[in-house]
Amino acid sequence: MNTAELAELGQQLRVDSVRAAAAAGSGHPTSSMSAADLMAVLLARHLRYDFERPEHPANDRFVLSKGHASPLLYSAYKAAGVIDDGELLTFRKLGSRLEGHPTPRRLPWVETATGSLGQGLPVGVGIALAGKRLDRSGYRVWVLCGDSELAEGSVWEAAEHAGYEHLDNLVAIVDVNRLGQRGPTRHGHDLAAYARRFQAFDWHTIAVDGHDVDAIDRAYGEALSTTGQPTVILARTLKGKGVAAVQDREGLHGKPLPEPEEAIAELGGPRELHVTVGEPPAAAVLRSLTTEVLQLPHYDQGEEVATRDAFGKALAALGTARGDIVALDGEVGDSTRTELFAKEHPDRFFECYIAEQQLVAAAVGMATRGWVPYASTFAAFFTRAHDFVRMASISGSGINLVGSHAGVAIGQDGPSQMGLEDLAMFRAVYGSTVLYPCDANQTARLVAEMAALDGIRYLRTSRGASPVIYGPDEEFPVGGSKVLRSGDEDRLTVVAAGVTVHEALAAADRLAQDGIAVRVVDLYSVKPVDGQTLRRAAEETGCLVTVEDHHEQGGLGDAVAEAFGDGGPVPRLVRLAVRTMPGSAAPDEQLHAAGIDALGIAAAAKLLVEEAIVG
Amino acid sequence: MNTAELAELGQQLRVDSVRAAAAAGSGHPTSSMSAADLMAVLLARHLRYDFERPEHPANDRFVLSKGHASPLLYSAYKAAGVIDDGELLTFRKLGSRLEGHPTPRRLPWVETATGSLGQGLPVGVGIALAGKRLDRSGYRVWVLCGDSELAEGSVWEAAEHAGYEHLDNLVAIVDVNRLGQRGPTRHGHDLAAYARRFQAFDWHTIAVDGHDVDAIDRAYGEALSTTGQPTVILARTLKGKGVAAVQDREGLHGKPLPEPEEAIAELGGPRELHVTVGEPPAAAVLRSLTTEVLQLPHYDQGEEVATRDAFGKALAALGTARGDIVALDGEVGDSTRTELFAKEHPDRFFECYIAEQQLVAAAVGMATRGWVPYASTFAAFFTRAHDFVRMASISGSGINLVGSHAGVAIGQDGPSQMGLEDLAMFRAVYGSTVLYPCDANQTARLVAEMAALDGIRYLRTSRGASPVIYGPDEEFPVGGSKVLRSGDEDRLTVVAAGVTVHEALAAADRLAQDGIAVRVVDLYSVKPVDGQTLRRAAEETGCLVTVEDHHEQGGLGDAVAEAFGDGGPVPRLVRLAVRTMPGSAAPDEQLHAAGIDALGIAAAAKLLVEEAIVG
């Protein structure tokens, strides 16, 4: 396409964005119009992408970080011939693939769900890292950002990471249209303000008139020929460009144009240009990945092993057996024990430093390319990446997240380091799996098993050592549980997981001496939960006492209650959990203060029996 | 103090840090030793602080962002004479005020809890904003940061905010000791790398040898005389400075020194220097704040009003009545409706742009100075600030967070904008309050009421209009609920909140036509929950059906189950919630697809009655 045709294509993308939003009665046409020329030139001149084969290993990758500009994306799909005009006009309607913000669950050409701002670039960094260090394919990663979203710290985590890693396969395009949702951005059209910031993080920067298609073309060319550092193209644009009634005006974010027919006429009317998008290189490098029989470490019953150690060793073994396993850490690999993987597989280990949003985003990015990431930090610090986990679930991303230092059991470091909300956070994520092992053999099995699951998988590990109670050949299906003590005389059932399993067993022994039999269930699969075993325990013992090293909301107690949320009979339920704000103390003192140690469990059980609350 | 004495004080702080960690058997002495000279000079020469009156309005404010260097902080307290040596040696022990990471809940001189890295500077920005725009007192805010934590995006949200707001009352001191937890930082001792970054965000930067007390003194002086922009002092230091066995060596993070006695000898032995810290100016400006009778907006029953509109109007009215109310927003004030407050009280409105971590941190910072902040963004985007909310709860911070656009009821924008995990997140926060009103009068009352509560208070608002069902004089105590339909023949109880209250009422009407009476409870206080009303409903109707515009984990269903977690009899429980991943669709289509509209509720109730699951 020549200059005039590129400009025409830009106008077509504007017209179609206006039409889609008008048909929907909602959407973000003005945010699409500002970036239309940027998209037109990319599509027609620089993107190498086989729409018929979105999985092609050499395809460039495009991420619409400003996901609200979805009308522009869908108009581009139409110009590329992969959706028709009829589908374009289903935008935002029930059942349409063309959602308000794009998601890969519904559209094969979307790499990652966007719509929460500041996430596209960090995920793009993950894809670019995969391109450089794993796939070693020549693909480019193009990320179209808004200017408003540059206020998000996650963007600067990404800028830091990309600059440091010399990701010259990554190009950020910033649509600097100067207007956010509720008014002007901090820096307006001051491209130099953004350039200074990106330059400080070691990026190559190019300022350009975002409505001059030749200038845009040259900028993309310069980005492609830049080596040793990522490039950001800062494009001065006008929101609502091309329609006087809305161009560069406030108060029109996220609204269809007031007079769409007039606007379309002003833009020169509908066009039917078709773009032939460049092909990726045919000779793509195919990965040849190891596949060996998995040899998990084994532990002898009675050994004292921390589940975080068992995780690190199992992950290293999994990495040996499977070449598609990668590990990432937030600069605490000596604590989470991913350092064991890093030592054995340094080429597949990614240090993300203390930047948990980028940590999770990098995992999401790598997962888009077929890698199976395990990202680790302290359980408490995954709260920092909650929004990224949420968006990953919308993407349908398959990532493994492993949080160490769970609960008050960590001891002296105090509440800032204690994961006490992580089970609640991960349980509430759509389609997630939440696992919480109590011994080393169980941990090893679950680490291997989680790799094959769909969606977000969370494993919670503990800091301190605990005795191995299961044999190395025992199996732990996700959605299962283990009944560790059981008899006909059980007066109640203690449901525990992780560190409290050992406390529950000790409590059961203590209670047995007093003639009180209790059942003990190890609920290592917190989500999905083993409703069958819980219902049987309910029928046979009448009362379930949950014990968790977590706040009382959203964790084990709620998981057990959920199993009885189908209208069936519900047993008596008692919750032991962390109800006060811990300070510093030794691990055993912490468990005791929270009332979730063997003494606390035994005392609660005795009270229930003595007050005849249970049979 | 002269140069030699300052150096001696630095050594004393090192010795005491080593002693405290040795007594505890854990802690971070090496991270304290690197910053000891920085702390000594600050304490002896520049800080203006009355330890006897930590609430003094003109006190400087000091934030230890690298909270793990708590031994240094406590050693400084000892040098200032506010704790004694005996207490210093209680460090990290059960019951001690001297926790592994400092918290204001236990120590009056601590401004905010730290220990999750990258939070001190954003909170410091909030305090500095209060100093500049609210208190208009001349205090300085000093924040001591680590170098590792500069990888956190939240630090750059803070850098952006402080530079843009010209916060020349803010001084960041970065202890660049080049070593993180598991090894070297990205930039080691490259002070210029950090300087470039801060300069790009419009900060004044000073590089200094962090062990040269005269140079440090000059740097602090330069910071104090810098106007129009914040200053960062980048101090080149050595981790474990002064003890050859640990100085500048890897693998020693978070560990007591291996040979503390030898180390203390090498540092010149214990000292008993006492520091006289400078007094704040006596003539502090006292705030004269409005206190008028609150005149909340009233709504007529039957009016259609969105609860987000009612929130905005109530907040503006509250701001008129109370001069200590401030509002903050994440660049969506036209959606959350804080724009109504901003229009009436522009001097007390803070635009935080799209930086939700800084949004919450600014609220926390202002709350430390006695202001009562309301911070708003979409409910979904508070997940971005989860770790800040978690830490705020450890601080005991009293902040109001208001999340709009809750649930699938927002409609076409799709899942990225839907708050579907927010109730789970906020319920699991220690000491939190979670409110979810269904009409405008209820919203107005709760907005006013929440201001007086302790801890984190969350209010969930809805995008679309809903009918006013309560009169303007109705009261809604926190921890209460409203029984909206009730009779002797009730076969079950529908428990709803927010948007589902209206669906539940419509379902009850529909069911009544079929001869099925159901009770309807409006559970506007999700935490604390009205156990009494729920238990009565359980006794009288035998079955509770919860209906929520939220994922099935952690929200209303779990809140109701929690009310029965005390070992008492539990009714049958049925949960209606969002169980699939929504796409784009109209609000009513979304509610229907999720099975939480009147039809879905009525169908579930009918099934329960017809299958004789309920009496």
Side-chain angles (χ1 to χ4, degrees):
Chain A
M1 282 192 175
N2 61 29
T3 303
E5 287 166 333
L6 287 172
E8 275 295 288
L9 178 59
Q11 290 296 80
Q12 172 175 319
L13 298 178
R14 287 188 178 91
V15 168
D16 282 345
S17 295
V18 171
R19 292 174 62 234
S26 68
H28 298 76
T30 58
S31 305
S32 299
M33 294 159 82
S34 57
D37 300 312
L38 295 166
M39 181 67 102
V41 179
L42 180 63
L43 203 64
R45 286 274 179 86
H46 296 278
L47 192 73
R48 296 170 309 175
Y49 191 83
D50 183 347
F51 277 93
E52 298 302 311
R53 293 177 59 201
E55 75 291 354
H56 193 300
N59 270 346
D60 280 356
R61 304 287 152 186
F62 176 77
V63 175
L64 183 71
S65 189
K66 49 177 291 183
H68 54 287
S70 56
L72 175 63
L73 184 70
Y74 305 147
S75 299
Y77 289 163
K78 183 191 143 188
V82 294
I83 68 169
D84 63 21
D85 197 63
E87 183 168 9
L88 180 70
L89 301 180
T90 66
F91 178 51
R92 284 174 162 252
K93 294 204 173 79
L94 179 66
S96 172
R97 295 192 294 176
L98 309 184
E99 296 185 61
H101 298 78
T103 79
R105 295 169 69 97
R106 297 206 164 89
L107 285 169
W109 317 290
V110 174
E111 303 294 332
T112 189
T114 50
S116 180
L117 290 169
Q119 300 210 11
L121 194 60
V123 172
V125 166
I127 305 173
L129 279 170
K132 277 265 173 195
R133 287 185 44 193
L134 298 169
D135 296 327
R136 291 183 200 141
S137 170
Y139 58 77
R140 289 265 156 184
V141 182
W142 305 86
V143 182
L144 179 57
C145 302
D147 48 354
S148 269
E149 66 177 317
L150 301 188
E152 287 284 12
S154 56
V155 168
W156 302 103
E157 292 184 13
E160 173 76 52
H161 202 107
Y164 182 75
E165 296 280 351
H166 308 289
L167 296 181
D168 52 16
N169 58 340
L170 175 67
V171 184
I173 307 159
V174 186
D175 175 23
V176 185
N177 67 21
R178 105 171 168 84
L179 290 173
Q181 175 179 317
R182 71 93 207 65
T185 60
R186 272 199 183 103
H187 301 295
H189 270 139
D190 183 1
L191 300 187
Y194 297 118
R196 276 199 306 279
R197 287 160 172 74
F198 276 101
Q199 284 161 11
F201 288 94
D202 301 317
W203 285 55
H204 179 59
T205 66
I206 305 170
V208 69
D209 173 351
H211 300 309
D212 176 339
V213 291
D214 286 329
I216 295 168
D217 186 47
R218 285 192 301 274
Y220 289 157
E222 183 176 330
L224 290 172
S225 64
T226 298
T227 55
Q229 59 184 156
T231 295
V232 59
I233 294 166
L234 299 160
R236 185 186 193 283
T237 63
L238 298 176
K239 202 160 176 170
K241 165 74 178 176
V243 174
V246 298
Q247 181 175 301
D248 201 31
R249 291 176 68 163
E250 293 186 38
L252 294 162
H253 181 93
K255 292 174 185 164
L257 264 55
E259 302 289 346
E261 289 310 319
E262 290 176 23
I264 292 164
E266 188 176 345
L267 291 165
R271 293 155 179 84
E272 291 296 339
L273 292 172
H274 178 266
V275 186
T276 306
V277 175
E279 288 290 314
V285 180
L286 285 178
R287 297 174 306 200
S288 164
L289 298 176
T290 320
T291 319
E292 292 175 12
V293 175
L294 173 61
Q295 295 195 303
L296 285 174
H298 286 183
Y299 302 89
D300 293 331
Q301 279 166 285
E303 266 190 88
E304 293 271 333
V305 185
T307 54
R308 59 175 170 145
D309 289 323
F311 156 66
K313 286 180 187 161
L315 187 62
L318 190 64
T320 302
R322 291 179 53 166
D324 60 350
I325 302 288
V326 298
L328 308 93
D329 205 285
E331 219 273 87
V332 287
D334 53 333
S335 286
T336 61
R337 304 304 199 213
T338 57
E339 64 178 9
L340 301 172
F341 182 98
K343 271 176 201 148
E344 293 194 29
H345 314 290
D347 52 324
R348 282 183 276 139
F349 178 76
F350 296 83
E351 178 57 74
C352 295
Y353 295 89
I354 307 181
E356 294 82 6
Q357 297 183 91
Q358 180 58 64
L359 171 72
V360 172
V364 170
M366 290 173 189
T368 69
R369 303 297 309 117
W371 299 91
V372 180
Y374 283 72
S376 294
T377 184
F378 284 24
F381 303 144
F382 272 119
T383 55
R384 200 68 159 252
H386 189 166
D387 197 29
F388 282 77
V389 174
R390 183 180 76 86
M391 291 300 297
S393 79
I394 296 175
S395 289
S397 182
I399 56 173
N400 306 283
L401 304 175
V402 180
S404 69
H405 292 65
V408 300
I410 66 163
Q412 288 85 352
D413 269 340
S416 66
Q417 318 292 300
M418 292 171 174
L420 288 168
E421 306 84 357
D422 56 322
L423 296 177
M425 174 173 103
F426 282 108
R427 277 183 69 242
V429 169
Y430 174 77
S432 66
T433 300
V434 179
L435 305 170
Y436 183 17
C438 70
D439 93 342
N441 284 322
Q442 190 182 47
T443 304
R445 288 280 180 158
L446 292 173
V447 168
E449 214 174 321
M450 67 197 290
L453 304 175
D454 288 329
I456 311 294
R457 315 128 199 184
Y458 177 62
L459 182 89
R460 185 185 216 219
T461 68
S462 299
R463 176 173 177 273
S466 54
V468 175
I469 61 171
Y470 294 110
D473 297 325
E474 185 112 18
E475 293 187 1
F476 301 94
V478 170
S481 67
K482 292 286 172 186
V483 180
L484 293 171
R485 294 279 193 279
S486 177
D488 292 343
E489 304 298 315
D490 294 340
R491 309 285 290 274
L492 53 81
T493 301
V494 180
V495 184
V499 67
T500 62
V501 168
H502 306 284
E503 301 299 326
L505 291 172
D509 292 345
R510 184 181 293 259
L511 288 163
Q513 289 172 5
D514 293 340
I516 301 173
V518 302
R519 186 167 301 185
V520 176
V521 175
D522 170 9
L523 202 71
Y524 62 84
S525 179
V526 177
K527 181 185 175 190
V529 75
D530 182 358
Q532 202 179 346
T533 297
L534 293 174
R535 278 191 295 273
R536 192 181 316 125
E539 284 162 22
E540 295 176 3
T541 73
C543 177
L544 305 187
V545 179
T546 54
V547 194
E548 59 191 307
D549 192 357
H550 184 274
H551 287 157
E552 65 189 301
Q553 294 86 11
L556 203 68
D558 280 352
V560 168
E562 191 190 336
F564 297 94
D566 59 355
V570 187
R572 289 174 187 260
L573 298 168
V574 176
R575 292 173 187 228
L576 304 182
V578 179
R579 292 170 198 271
T580 55
M581 178 60 71
S584 285
D588 54 344
E589 291 169 337
Q590 298 275 17
L591 292 173
H592 184 67
I596 56 171
D597 65 346
L599 274 173
I601 299 166
K606 267 191 146 171
L607 190 74
L608 288 165
V609 169
E610 284 166 6
E611 305 250 319
I613 293 169
V614 297
Chain B
M1 283 191 173
N2 61 28
T3 303
E5 286 167 331
L6 287 172
E8 276 294 290
L9 178 60
Q11 289 296 80
Q12 172 174 317
L13 298 178
R14 287 188 179 91
V15 167
D16 282 344
S17 295
V18 170
R19 291 174 63 236
S26 69
H28 299 75
T30 58
S31 305
S32 299
M33 294 159 83
S34 57
D37 300 311
L38 295 165
M39 181 67 101
V41 178
L42 180 63
L43 203 65
R45 284 274 179 86
H46 297 278
L47 192 73
R48 297 171 307 176
Y49 192 82
D50 183 348
F51 276 93
E52 298 301 311
R53 293 178 58 200
E55 74 291 354
H56 192 301
N59 270 345
D60 280 356
R61 304 287 151 186
F62 176 77
V63 175
L64 183 70
S65 189
K66 49 177 292 183
H68 54 287
S70 57
L72 175 63
L73 184 71
Y74 305 147
S75 298
Y77 289 163
K78 184 192 142 186
V82 294
I83 68 168
D84 62 21
D85 197 62
E87 183 167 10
L88 180 70
L89 300 181
T90 66
F91 179 50
R92 283 175 164 253
K93 294 205 174 77
L94 180 66
S96 172
R97 295 192 294 176
L98 310 185
E99 295 186 62
H101 298 78
T103 80
R105 295 168 70 96
R106 297 206 163 89
L107 285 169
W109 317 291
V110 174
E111 303 293 332
T112 189
T114 49
S116 181
L117 290 168
Q119 300 210 11
L121 194 60
V123 173
V125 166
I127 305 173
L129 278 170
K132 276 266 172 194
R133 286 185 46 192
L134 298 170
D135 297 327
R136 292 183 202 143
S137 169
Y139 58 77
R140 288 266 156 183
V141 182
W142 305 86
V143 182
L144 178 57
C145 302
D147 48 354
S148 268
E149 67 176 318
L150 301 188
E152 287 284 12
S154 55
V155 168
W156 302 103
E157 292 184 13
E160 173 76 51
H161 203 106
Y164 183 76
E165 297 280 350
H166 308 289
L167 297 181
D168 52 15
N169 58 341
L170 176 67
V171 184
I173 307 158
V174 185
D175 175 23
V176 185
N177 66 21
R178 101 169 174 84
L179 290 173
Q181 175 178 318
R182 72 91 207 63
T185 60
R186 271 200 184 102
H187 301 295
H189 271 138
D190 182 2
L191 300 187
Y194 296 117
R196 277 199 307 277
R197 286 160 173 75
F198 277 100
Q199 285 161 11
F201 288 94
D202 300 317
W203 285 54
H204 179 59
T205 66
I206 305 170
V208 69
D209 174 351
H211 301 308
D212 177 339
V213 291
D214 287 328
I216 295 168
D217 187 46
R218 286 191 300 274
Y220 289 157
E222 183 177 329
L224 289 172
S225 64
T226 298
T227 55
Q229 60 184 158
T231 295
V232 59
I233 293 166
L234 299 160
R236 185 186 192 284
T237 63
L238 298 176
K239 202 159 176 170
K241 165 74 177 176
V243 175
V246 299
Q247 181 175 301
D248 201 31
R249 290 175 68 165
E250 292 186 38
L252 295 161
H253 180 93
K255 293 175 185 163
L257 265 54
E259 302 289 345
E261 289 310 319
E262 289 177 20
I264 292 165
E266 188 177 344
L267 291 165
R271 294 154 177 86
E272 291 296 339
L273 293 171
H274 178 266
V275 186
T276 306
V277 175
E279 288 290 314
V285 180
L286 285 178
R287 298 174 305 202
S288 163
L289 298 177
T290 320
T291 319
E292 291 176 11
V293 175
L294 173 61
Q295 296 195 303
L296 284 175
H298 286 182
Y299 302 90
D300 294 330
Q301 280 167 284
E303 264 190 89
E304 293 272 333
V305 185
T307 54
R308 60 175 171 146
D309 288 324
F311 156 67
K313 285 180 185 159
L315 186 63
L318 191 64
T320 302
R322 290 179 52 166
D324 60 351
I325 301 287
V326 298
L328 309 92
D329 206 285
E331 218 272 88
V332 287
D334 53 334
S335 286
T336 60
R337 304 306 198 211
T338 57
E339 64 178 9
L340 301 171
F341 182 99
K343 272 177 200 148
E344 293 194 28
H345 313 290
D347 52 326
R348 284 184 275 139
F349 178 76
F350 295 83
E351 178 58 74
C352 295
Y353 295 89
I354 308 182
E356 293 82 6
Q357 298 183 92
Q358 181 58 64
L359 171 72
V360 172
V364 170
M366 290 172 188
T368 68
R369 304 296 312 112
W371 300 91
V372 181
Y374 283 73
S376 294
T377 183
F378 284 24
F381 303 144
F382 272 119
T383 55
R384 201 67 160 256
H386 189 169
D387 197 27
F388 282 77
V389 174
R390 183 180 76 86
M391 291 299 298
S393 79
I394 296 175
S395 288
S397 182
I399 56 174
N400 305 283
L401 304 175
V402 181
S404 70
H405 291 66
V408 300
I410 66 163
Q412 289 84 352
D413 269 341
S416 65
Q417 319 294 300
M418 293 171 174
L420 288 168
E421 307 83 356
D422 56 321
L423 296 178
M425 176 174 102
F426 282 107
R427 277 183 69 243
V429 170
Y430 174 77
S432 65
T433 301
V434 179
L435 305 170
Y436 183 17
C438 70
D439 95 341
N441 284 322
Q442 190 180 48
T443 304
R445 288 281 181 155
L446 292 174
V447 168
E449 213 173 322
M450 66 196 289
L453 303 176
D454 287 328
I456 311 295
R457 315 128 199 183
Y458 177 63
L459 182 89
R460 187 185 215 218
T461 68
S462 299
R463 177 175 178 272
S466 53
V468 175
I469 60 172
Y470 295 110
D473 297 325
E474 184 112 20
E475 293 187 3
F476 302 95
V478 170
S481 67
K482 292 285 171 188
V483 179
L484 293 171
R485 295 277 192 282
S486 178
D488 292 342
E489 305 298 315
D490 294 340
R491 310 286 289 274
L492 53 81
T493 301
V494 180
V495 184
V499 68
T500 61
V501 168
H502 307 283
E503 301 299 327
L505 291 172
D509 292 345
R510 186 181 292 260
L511 289 162
Q513 288 171 6
D514 293 341
I516 302 173
V518 302
R519 186 166 301 185
V520 177
V521 175
D522 170 10
L523 202 71
Y524 62 84
S525 179
V526 178
K527 181 185 175 191
V529 75
D530 182 359
Q532 202 180 345
T533 297
L534 293 174
R535 278 191 295 274
R536 190 181 318 126
E539 285 162 21
E540 295 176 4
T541 74
C543 177
L544 305 187
V545 179
T546 55
V547 194
E548 59 191 306
D549 193 356
H550 185 274
H551 287 157
E552 64 188 301
Q553 293 86 13
L556 204 67
D558 280 351
V560 169
E562 191 189 336
F564 297 94
D566 58 355
V570 187
R572 289 177 187 258
L573 298 168
V574 176
R575 292 173 186 227
L576 304 182
V578 180
R579 293 171 197 270
T580 55
M581 178 59 72
S584 284
D588 55 343
E589 293 170 336
Q590 298 275 17
L591 292 172
H592 183 67
I596 56 172
D597 65 346
L599 274 175
I601 299 166
K606 268 193 146 173
L607 190 72
L608 288 165
V609 170
E610 284 167 6
E611 305 249 321
I613 294 169
V614 297

